Amino acid sequence: MLENKVIETLPGFQHVNFSVVKTILLKENFPGENIVSKRFSSHSDLITGVYEGGLKIWECTFDLLAYFTKAKVKFAGKKVLDLGCGSGLLGITAFKGGAKEIHFQDYNSMVIDEVTLANVVANSTLEDEENDVNKPDLKRCKKPKVTQELYKCRFFSGEWSEFCKLVLSSEKLFVKYDLILTSETIYNPDYYSNLHQTFLRLLSKNGRVLLASKAHYFGVGGGVHLFQKFIEERDVFKTRILKIIDEGLKRFIIEITFKSPG
């Protein structure tokens, strides 16, 4: 999984060390969606219907990671979805925090195959090596702990509506998510209906969504206030602003829960 990958450590996080696989080495003729060449030729981090930004770690992801630490968000024993996961850092945090099951979803299969999976493995493997560094060779596990823990993770690609159909139909009894983590997924109002339906169909009755977003996305039209209005008009969920980051372009962290758990 990590062969021919370049791995770096993200600075600035005191409580969680993240390793990230550099995507700059992906070749333009990579099979599948061939999104790398399209992304560079279009000079855009978003190509509607082709590529939805998964090769980039977006600013609000770091806001949400910082919030996890400050608010002491508990992941232990929870079923977690990293929606629009990209690099998968939100789900990896849940993984490190003892979540019982973590699902990663991104629009592009190439992002899942080359970035998300690699990041999950890199963070699990390196952590396991650090834990074993002082143990005698004979006492080190012949089968790394990572192989015993990664069964908690599942990986999905495709549109949200198709993702919902897949998980709801592939298991006899689908246990809904206790926590859905998502960052910068409300940039385009055209996606609001599908996103709302995803929350409605997959969030447990007492679960919550933690969403990080910019106040407004210039050139695309979405943003926090427009999405909050969309939520209010459907009268299913309630939103609560947990944090406002007023550095540069204003950013928000929002909690979304069912109005009535029943």
Side-chain angles (χ1 to χ4, degrees), residues 63-109:
D63 294 336
L64 200 47
L65 290 171
Y67 176 79
F68 291 160
T69 300
K70 185 174 183 180
K72 298 181 180 179
V73 175
K74 303 297 183 183
F75 299 105
K78 297 183 184 298
K79 183 174 182 179
V80 179
L81 170 63
D82 187 345
L83 190 69
C85 62
S87 61
L89 296 186
L90 302 179
I92 289 169
T93 304
F95 180 85
K96 288 174 176 281
K100 67 178 179 181
E101 191 171 353
I102 310 98
H103 291 181
F104 296 82
Q105 178 277 336
D106 194 86
Y107 183 87
N108 294 102
S109 61

Side-chain angles (χ1 to χ4, degrees), residues 23-42 55 110:
T23 58
I24 193 171
L25 299 181
L26 291 174
K27 297 179 181 179
E28 291 191 7
N29 61 350
F30 193 89
E33 298 101 335
N34 194 21
I35 63 175
V36 177
S37 59
K38 292 178 182 178
R39 175 192 178 203
F40 284 112
S41 64
S42 66
L55 292 177
M110 192 271 270

Side-chain angles (χ1 to χ4, degrees), residues 199-214:
F199 294 159
L200 180 61
R201 298 174 72 184
L202 301 185
L203 185 66
S204 67
K205 64 180 182 179
N206 293 311
R208 62 176 183 156
V209 178
L210 293 180
L211 181 151
S213 173
K214 294 184 176 71

Side-chain angles (χ1 to χ4, degrees), residues 140-181:
R140 294 184 186 180
C141 296
K142 292 182 180 179
K143 189 175 183 181
K145 184 181 177 182
V146 60
T147 61
Q148 302 170 26
E149 292 292 316
L150 284 177
Y151 75 90
K152 297 178 180 180
C153 302
R154 295 182 67 188
F155 301 84
F156 303 86
S157 63
E159 296 178 340
W160 291 325
S161 59
E162 295 302 317
F163 165 62
C164 288
K165 289 179 185 178
L166 180 64
V167 295
L168 292 173
S169 64
S170 63
E171 301 178 31
K172 292 181 179 179
L173 179 62
F174 177 76
V175 179
K176 296 188 177 183
Y177 299 106
D178 302 303
L179 190 59
I180 296 178
L181 310 173

